Amino acid sequence: MKRIQAACICQTLHFMLKEDWPHDDAVKLVDEEVERYKHTLDARHTKYRIVAEEKQADGSVLLKIIKQYNQSPVGDYL
């Protein structure tokens, strides 16, 4: 029999600008979406660590994150 002792998932998320919106409004929406994503992780009590958060030249955001996979224990990952 096997059991998961620890598990995490590593993701790189690209929060992209909406093309049909004015640039300043699209950048503001991306920033709000990133904050909403982080808030959702906190609200769901998902354990996570942001490895990097990079604002791109066009205003989009790259978020590199290690987070809890399902409800598995995170062990030494976090």
Side-chain angles (χ1 to χ4, degrees), residues 8-43:
C8 280
I9 187 167
C10 182
Q11 295 179 325
T12 301
L13 304 167
H14 188 187
F15 293 87
M16 298 171 41
L17 301 178
K18 294 186 185 254
E19 294 179 12
D20 55 337
W21 284 65
H23 185 266
D24 291 342
D25 292 340
V27 170
K28 184 178 176 185
L29 283 174
V30 164
D31 292 339
E32 290 172 357
E33 185 179 7
V34 170
E35 290 307 311
R36 198 168 38 251
Y37 178 75
K38 292 176 190 176
H39 178 73
T40 300
L41 290 172
D42 291 334

Side-chain angles (χ1 to χ4, degrees), residues 43-57:
R44 292 181 179 168
H45 305 290
T46 302
K47 296 177 183 172
Y48 67 95
R49 179 169 45 102
I50 295 174
V51 177
E53 184 172 343
E54 302 170 8
K55 190 89 157 182
Q56 302 300 297

